[in-house]
Amino acid sequence: MTRRRPSLAVVGATGAIGGVMLQILSQHADVWGEVRLLDSPHAAGRKLVVRGEECEVLPLGESAFDGVDVALFLVPDEVAAHWGPVAAARGAVVVDDSASFRLDDDVPLVVPEINPHAARIRPRGIIASPNCTTLSLIVAIGALHAEFGLRQLVVSSYQAVSGAGRDGVAALRAQLSLVAGTDLGTSPGDVRRALGEGDSPFAAPVALNVVPWAGTDAGDGWSSEELAIREECRKILGLPDLKVSATCVYVPVVATHSMSVHARFENEVAVERAHEILATAPGVVLFDSPASGDFPTPSDVVGTDPTWVGRVRQSMDDARAIEMFICGDNLRKGAALNVAQIAESVAAEFHRD
Amino acid sequence: MTRRRPSLAVVGATGAIGGVMLQILSQHADVWGEVRLLDSPHAAGRKLVVRGEECEVLPLGESAFDGVDVALFLVPDEVAAHWGPVAAARGAVVVDDSASFRLDDDVPLVVPEINPHAARIRPRGIIASPNCTTLSLIVAIGALHAEFGLRQLVVSSYQAVSGAGRDGVAALRAQLSLVAGTDLGTSPGDVRRALGEGDSPFAAPVALNVVPWAGTDAGDGWSSEELAIREECRKILGLPDLKVSATCVYVPVVATHSMSVHARFENEVAVERAHEILATAPGVVLFDSPASGDFPTPSDVVGTDPTWVGRVRQSMDDARAIEMFICGDNLRKGAALNVAQIAESVAAEFHRD
């Protein structure tokens, strides 16, 4: 390989995650040559700012990947499923944020803090980034696993509506504006009526409510998001027998997923040692003095890069288990940031002799 | 005993739970003789309607309990701790909704669907009703325990702000009105500012946020509400060795607590049999067809009496465990209704020969 700055394509540049990606590209150390912005034809022609310069969005097409070294896919599953292999066939290393390739045996699923080397083995030329829910907890869990040996996770999520895309945020906004100024005590009916007035990606009102269903029906009572957490944690950690029980619940929060976690390990866990590990793990902030009001909440965490951990305590009945509350911004580490980190590790390959 | 209608005192008649109690007394079969409404002196003199008749609130005092057979305490802990024993000493059977006596060995902790007979053994003349969080899940859990033998609970709560009293609802209302009409994407700062403008019982903003802390510091990282679920479930079910890990989290919901539950049993659990039990258990509604949108949420459950259960599924790694999502109105079964049910069982003692 030659020492040169690789060229980058951002597919889905005009979307919500694309917007965060352009911010990150402007903020991080610049390792890229040309940066090309791509999107569907109807979004092409728009001009967006990246690295301080205006850049026109080009239409997605086969020739759009000519000369591209690394292509980031921040698009819906079906778009990534079609265009990801096209970009790879044209020679680009694809870093994909969709669900299309995450569980493909020939596609590594990468979290740079945990399994960075997996990104080097990519038979299809594609590297996948995990689901935002998995990403909101895996960095903290991975750090503890390295010390204690993870055996079981029981997780319940408090997922932000932006996890369901811009439609999720729009639905929450519409429902909240309808209940504003009403007597909240009589609001459930108002919220139900609001649902009838606009589209919503949720199966029930989400304002002044919680919705225990995320994704699609995966059989036997499970939602697709719950099984994604299970399969992705197993793959990233290299633990095919890891026990995982997940319950995914949307809450009326705009951005940042929270997770209540019961984690059981092969070895005994001293809370003091768990604290030390979390306080020093890359990409993790320990914020844990609840009697002083120090525990992570979405309003603390939104807009930040790390995974925040608090409420760490030993299970009272089991010296090998701890409870925790973990928060991560689903649009940053949960999506754009992890993709950018993977891409930067690929870029480093170009910089080596 | 003689056949007669016992007299009833409602202490705390002007409070939020008192208001629900007066509704219940007007709706349920009337088993009472005189109904006397009591409250602190500053609330005395108000007139409230119960059983279709206006009734003046009398000031709390020793003589207020003269001639009272059953006294319901719907007041803060310290008020119940002082006046409950006074009422009992005057001959009333006290049914207390506060935390003051729940873990007292000489006070039964009663959920009529589960341990009705415990109410007959009351050395101090006091019967306690559990915490609203415990009550939101115990009826469903108790029905499953009777069949399968409960060994472990891992629960994460999605608690309504009314669990923190009227101040909790007022704080949510104030915070929501401040963010109404704003771009929700920039709202966390607005919510933080709203906190400075009014009192809140929560340690962080609760609008557009979740707050993983309920109650007071119970040591070793646990909150008092989390330990209450543990100790109360053990006492009600008569399982002193039950493993319980609870994480209590407030969400921006007005009324109805939800719980994500991982329950492990002594015996294997077939989901079909669990469904049968929950579909027929007294006080439980099974609402479980998630692919059709049938799962309980607070907006479905608020204002209703039963415990609603959905998302019942077998743990994928453990034939002895199931996952569930449970909702209960914290102001009805979670407070006033359970107290009324206990009181009605005591009234039945007066009706027997």
Side-chain angles (χ1 to χ4, degrees):
Chain A
M1 295 186 194
T2 57
R3 283 176 177 275
R4 64 179 178 86
R5 290 178 165 244
S7 58
L8 181 74
V10 179
V11 186
T14 69
I17 297 169
V20 178
M21 181 60 75
L22 300 192
Q23 287 175 22
I24 289 172
L25 289 173
S26 302
Q27 292 161 351
H28 281 203
D30 186 12
V31 298
W32 304 106
E34 181 195 355
V35 172
R36 196 177 297 175
L37 307 186
L38 303 176
D39 215 318
S40 56
H42 79 263
R46 289 178 55 184
K47 289 182 176 159
L48 300 173
V49 173
V50 58
R51 300 187 298 185
E53 290 175 15
E54 217 170 51
C55 187
E56 185 174 330
V57 178
L58 304 176
L60 188 54
E62 289 197 22
S63 61
F65 295 103
D66 289 345
V68 169
D69 294 308
V70 179
L72 313 184
F73 277 77
L74 312 171
V75 293
D77 294 351
E78 63 279 10
V79 180
H82 178 77
W83 289 102
V86 170
R90 296 247 163 180
V93 176
V94 170
V95 185
D96 179 32
D97 193 47
S98 85
S100 294
F101 304 103
R102 286 173 185 152
L103 300 182
D104 184 323
D105 286 340
D106 289 330
V107 173
L109 184 64
V110 176
V111 180
E113 291 87 347
I114 298 175
N115 62 344
H117 301 300
R120 302 297 293 270
I121 302 158
R122 44 187 192 243
R124 298 187 63 181
I126 300 172
I127 303 166
S129 184
N131 185 292
C132 56
T133 319
T134 304
L135 277 168
S136 69
L137 61 80
I138 194 73
V139 178
I141 293 295
L144 294 169
H145 165 59
E147 174 89 3
F148 301 116
L150 187 65
R151 288 292 171 268
Q152 183 183 17
L153 289 175
V154 180
V155 300
S156 297
S157 77
Y158 302 71
Q159 295 186 223
V161 295
S162 55
R166 283 177 167 163
D167 289 350
V169 179
L172 175 59
R173 183 183 287 122
Q175 293 171 25
L176 278 179
S177 69
L178 208 86
V179 299
T182 67
D183 174 2
L184 294 185
T186 61
S187 57
D190 295 331
V191 177
R192 283 234 172 262
R193 276 190 291 281
L195 254 193
E197 296 183 10
D199 290 333
S200 169
F202 308 111
V206 72
L208 300 174
N209 208 20
V210 301
V211 183
W213 188 253
T216 56
D217 181 18
D220 292 330
W222 296 90
S223 72
S224 57
E225 191 103 333
E226 289 159 354
L227 296 196
I229 293 175
R230 173 184 172 87
E231 298 305 330
E232 294 177 18
C233 285
R234 288 176 157 200
K235 182 169 177 176
I236 297 162
L237 298 173
L239 293 172
D241 298 322
L242 180 67
K243 297 180 180 181
V244 182
S245 291
T247 300
C248 288
V249 182
Y250 281 113
V251 295
V253 165
V254 176
T256 294
H257 290 345
S258 305
M259 312 287 281
S260 171
V261 179
H262 171 85
R264 189 162 198 275
F265 298 89
E266 185 178 4
N267 300 305
E268 286 196 11
V269 181
V271 165
E272 298 72 22
R273 182 69 189 127
H275 268 163
E276 285 174 15
I277 293 165
L278 293 168
T280 55
V284 176
V285 168
L286 178 68
F287 190 50
D288 192 12
S289 181
S292 312
D294 289 354
F295 44 76
T297 79
S299 75
D300 300 303
V301 171
V302 64
T304 71
D305 285 347
T307 301
W308 293 50
V309 186
R311 302 297 325 279
V312 183
R313 56 215 195 275
Q314 189 145 41
S315 301
M316 300 182 87
D317 310 296
D318 187 345
R320 297 182 181 184
I322 56 175
E323 323 293 325
M324 287 169 285
F325 194 77
I326 306 180
C327 295
D329 187 326
N330 55 305
L331 300 179
R332 291 189 71 89
K333 183 61 182 178
L337 177 62
N338 198 66
V339 169
Q341 288 174 299
I342 295 170
E344 287 161 4
S345 77
V346 174
E349 298 174 19
F350 287 82
H351 299 153
R352 293 193 193 95
D353 283 330
Chain B
M1 293 185 192
T2 57
R3 282 176 176 274
R4 66 177 178 85
R5 289 174 166 250
S7 58
L8 181 74
V10 180
V11 186
T14 70
I17 297 170
V20 178
M21 181 61 74
L22 299 192
Q23 287 175 21
I24 290 172
L25 289 173
S26 302
Q27 292 161 351
H28 281 203
D30 186 13
V31 298
W32 304 107
E34 180 195 356
V35 173
R36 197 176 295 175
L37 307 186
L38 303 175
D39 215 317
S40 57
H42 79 264
R46 289 178 55 185
K47 289 182 176 158
L48 300 173
V49 174
V50 58
R51 301 187 296 184
E53 288 174 18
E54 217 168 50
C55 186
E56 185 173 330
V57 178
L58 304 176
L60 190 54
E62 289 197 22
S63 60
F65 294 102
D66 289 345
V68 169
D69 294 307
V70 179
L72 313 184
F73 278 77
L74 312 171
V75 293
D77 294 351
E78 63 280 9
V79 180
H82 178 77
W83 289 102
V86 171
R90 294 248 161 178
V93 176
V94 170
V95 185
D96 179 33
D97 193 48
S98 86
S100 295
F101 303 103
R102 287 174 185 151
L103 300 182
D104 185 321
D105 286 340
D106 289 330
V107 174
L109 184 63
V110 176
V111 180
E113 291 87 346
I114 298 175
N115 62 345
H117 301 299
R120 302 296 294 269
I121 302 156
R122 45 187 190 241
R124 298 188 62 181
I126 300 172
I127 303 166
S129 184
N131 184 293
C132 57
T133 318
T134 304
L135 277 169
S136 69
L137 62 81
I138 194 73
V139 177
I141 293 294
L144 294 170
H145 165 59
E147 175 90 2
F148 301 116
L150 187 66
R151 288 293 170 268
Q152 183 184 15
L153 288 174
V154 180
V155 300
S156 296
S157 77
Y158 302 71
Q159 296 186 223
V161 295
S162 56
R166 283 176 169 165
D167 289 350
V169 179
L172 175 59
R173 184 183 287 121
Q175 292 171 25
L176 278 180
S177 69
L178 208 85
V179 298
T182 66
D183 174 1
L184 294 185
T186 62
S187 57
D190 294 330
V191 177
R192 283 234 173 263
R193 277 189 291 282
L195 253 193
E197 295 182 11
D199 290 332
S200 169
F202 308 111
V206 73
L208 299 175
N209 208 21
V210 300
V211 183
W213 187 253
T216 56
D217 181 17
D220 293 330
W222 296 90
S223 73
S224 57
E225 191 103 333
E226 290 160 353
L227 296 196
I229 292 176
R230 174 184 171 85
E231 297 305 330
E232 293 178 19
C233 285
R234 287 176 159 200
K235 181 169 177 176
I236 296 161
L237 298 173
L239 293 172
D241 298 323
L242 180 67
K243 296 180 179 181
V244 183
S245 291
T247 300
C248 288
V249 182
Y250 280 114
V251 295
V253 165
V254 176
T256 295
H257 290 345
S258 306
M259 313 286 281
S260 170
V261 179
H262 171 85
R264 189 164 197 275
F265 297 88
E266 184 178 6
N267 300 304
E268 288 195 10
V269 182
V271 165
E272 298 72 22
R273 181 72 189 125
H275 268 162
E276 286 175 14
I277 292 164
L278 294 167
T280 54
V284 176
V285 168
L286 178 69
F287 189 50
D288 192 12
S289 181
S292 312
D294 288 353
F295 44 76
T297 78
S299 75
D300 301 303
V301 172
V302 63
T304 71
D305 285 347
T307 302
W308 294 49
V309 186
R311 302 297 328 278
V312 182
R313 55 214 194 276
Q314 189 146 38
S315 301
M316 299 182 86
D317 311 295
D318 186 347
R320 297 183 181 183
I322 55 175
E323 323 293 325
M324 286 168 286
F325 195 77
I326 305 180
C327 295
D329 186 325
N330 55 305
L331 300 178
R332 291 190 71 91
K333 183 61 183 176
L337 177 63
N338 198 65
V339 169
Q341 288 174 299
I342 296 169
E344 288 161 4
S345 76
V346 175
E349 298 174 18
F350 287 82
H351 299 154
R352 293 193 191 95
D353 283 330

